[in-house]
Amino acid sequence: MTTHRVTIRDVASQAGVSVATVSKVLNERHGVAVSTVERVRAVIEQLGYESSLVARSLRNHRTNVVGVLVWAIEPYSAELLKGAARAIKGTGYELVVYSTGGEGGGHIGWERRYLSRLSGTLIDGAVLVTPTVSAEGIGSPVVAVDPHVGGDAVPTVDADNFRGAQLAVEHLLALGHRRIGFLGRPPRDLESGKQREYGYRAALEAAGIAFDPELVRAAGYEESESTEAARQLLELPERPTAIFAANDLSAISTMEVALTLGMTVPDDLSVIGFDNVPESTMVRPGLTTIEQPLQLMGQRAVEMLLEVLAGREPSQRRLRLPTRLVVRESCAPPPLSARRPGTAAGAAASAGAGAELPAARGASADTDAASAAYEQS
């Protein structure tokens, strides 16, 4: 069954006026009698007529619609969208979400291709979530969430990923772990990915533990990739006693792999994630994680975009929000077998257990300097 879409010609016919008269009423132009305006508006209401976004943009050079472009609708982007929806209320703008369906996430430049389909006739500007290339020169006003590393001139919103990763590793170190694996996430040109690895390495260095590249794996966007990366770490001859995953879904996959290998979390393996998406509270044991304020990030990004669309300079062009440790049940001291004297892991754990860790630094005071140091390493 098909439903006829009401057109401007339908309104004109029902109201007994010309299409040009209906157009004048829609655009609030002079030269139409008050009684005619009222009759046309009544017919518009009766028929439920809505002018198309394309027609509206051609008339006014604006659509009053902002877009949010994401590579897929998954827990991370879903939380951002909640904040974006909150920010749009009462502004006179509408919100459209455009997803590649997961097809573009692994391909550099996906956001340019999809933004070109929307800009000009469908949206006035866009929030780009985890863009893979610089957003400069795209044309439409944009704000980037979790930006590319290229030093964009566009406004950006992100979280203090470096400090968040430090907090994760420092928590594991305080429990006595010394052999800590890291599951990162491509693409490597995202600022967040690099900052989380730098924070992991900085926390180990501060504790006097040498960085071991064998304990680092890239967990992809697909669950199968995260599962395989976790399995590689857990099947090492000398496996880690704890794993820090750079996102919650990879952490949950790690817990599932551990279970299939006969391990218990946290007795045999401690796992900590990053993001604090709702799924982290639904697994058993509950996932200890680093929270980045995803809903607030989405809200602030839309607010910044609306400032740009209004012709104002955003109060902050690079907004970095703090991260925090959320302790649940997935982390515990390393198993006694890993602390037996005479083994490399045991010697390291015994030497470090109870050792005082360096004082926590401010949320972003040393981030740029430390990141630069690891960029050169």
Side-chain angles (χ1 to χ4, degrees):
M1 177 179 177
T2 58
T3 302
H4 172 67
R5 184 179 185 276
V6 178
T7 68
I8 193 172
R9 294 183 182 277
D10 295 326
V11 174
S13 176
Q14 183 83 4
V17 299
S18 68
V19 169
T21 298
V22 177
S23 179
K24 286 182 179 180
V25 173
L26 289 170
N27 291 285
E28 299 181 349
R29 293 176 186 160
H30 298 295
V32 182
V34 173
S35 59
T36 301
V37 170
E38 292 176 349
R39 185 167 74 253
V40 170
R41 286 179 175 169
V43 171
I44 288 173
E45 180 71 22
Q46 176 188 344
L47 297 181
Y49 171 73
E50 283 283 349
S51 60
S52 73
L53 289 177
V54 174
R56 197 189 312 171
S57 68
L58 291 174
R59 287 196 306 269
N60 305 324
H61 305 290
R62 293 184 71 91
T63 64
N64 277 26
V65 176
V66 298
V68 179
L69 273 66
V70 298
W71 77 273
I73 304 295
E74 36 76 45
Y76 172 89
S77 60
E79 290 302 298
L80 287 169
L81 292 174
K82 292 175 185 177
R86 184 164 59 235
I88 212 74
K89 287 182 179 178
T91 65
Y93 277 85
E94 299 170 13
L95 185 71
V96 61
V97 179
Y98 194 93
S99 166
T100 72
E103 294 298 319
H107 302 289
I108 300 298
W110 67 268
E111 65 285 342
R112 286 184 181 273
R113 293 192 295 274
Y114 293 102
L115 186 61
S116 67
R117 301 179 184 180
L118 303 178
S119 297
T121 56
L122 294 179
I123 61 174
D124 294 332
V127 172
L128 305 181
V129 180
T130 62
T132 61
V133 298
S134 169
E136 295 179 63
I138 286 181
S140 296
V142 297
V143 172
V145 176
D146 189 7
H148 178 274
V149 298
D152 286 337
V154 303
T156 63
V157 178
D158 66 2
D160 195 343
N161 293 284
F162 181 89
R163 182 59 190 144
Q166 280 186 312
L167 288 171
V169 179
E170 287 172 358
H171 179 65
L172 295 172
L173 290 168
L175 290 171
H177 294 277
R178 294 300 178 266
R179 191 162 175 79
I180 301 170
F182 175 65
L183 288 180
R185 191 167 194 177
R188 291 294 302 274
D189 58 352
L190 283 182
E191 183 72 22
S192 60
K194 291 200 171 188
Q195 292 298 322
R196 290 176 200 180
E197 182 172 337
Y198 295 161
Y200 162 79
R201 295 174 63 173
L204 293 177
E205 183 178 291
I209 299 173
F211 171 71
D212 183 354
E214 188 179 48
L215 294 178
V216 176
R217 293 290 188 279
Y221 284 96
E222 301 297 331
E223 182 179 353
S224 60
E225 295 173 312
S226 296
T227 297
E228 178 57 27
R231 184 177 298 276
Q232 290 175 12
L233 285 178
L234 294 179
E235 290 182 342
L236 286 172
E238 191 177 344
R239 68 170 179 81
T241 61
I243 291 179
F244 165 42
N247 61 88
D248 286 343
L249 297 188
S250 291
I252 292 170
S253 292
T254 300
M255 294 168 67
E256 293 170 350
V257 171
L259 181 63
T260 65
L261 294 176
M263 301 176 196
T264 301
V265 176
D267 295 339
D268 300 314
L269 176 74
S270 289
V271 180
I272 186 168
F274 202 112
D275 287 337
N276 198 29
V277 296
E279 284 75 359
S280 65
T281 67
M282 300 175 187
V283 293
R284 291 293 177 268
L287 179 66
T288 294
T289 188
I290 300 298
E291 179 185 83
Q292 55 176 331
L294 296 175
Q295 291 192 28
L296 185 58
M297 289 164 64
Q299 178 181 335
R300 292 288 182 261
V302 169
E303 290 170 350
M304 290 170 70
L305 179 61
L306 294 180
E307 286 187 84
V308 174
L309 292 175
R312 299 191 299 269
E313 180 70 17
S315 54
Q316 288 181 274
R317 291 190 64 83
R318 185 182 182 188
L319 178 60
R320 176 159 291 171
L321 298 173
T323 47
R324 71 183 184 96
L325 173 68
V326 178
V327 177
R328 296 193 181 100
E329 299 86 34
S330 64
C331 295
L336 291 175
S337 59
R339 290 178 274 173
R340 286 200 310 265
T343 67
S350 297
E356 184 176 348
L357 293 171
R361 288 179 281 184
S364 59
D366 298 326
T367 296
D368 291 339
S371 299
Y374 281 98
E375 187 73 60
Q376 299 300 321
S377 63

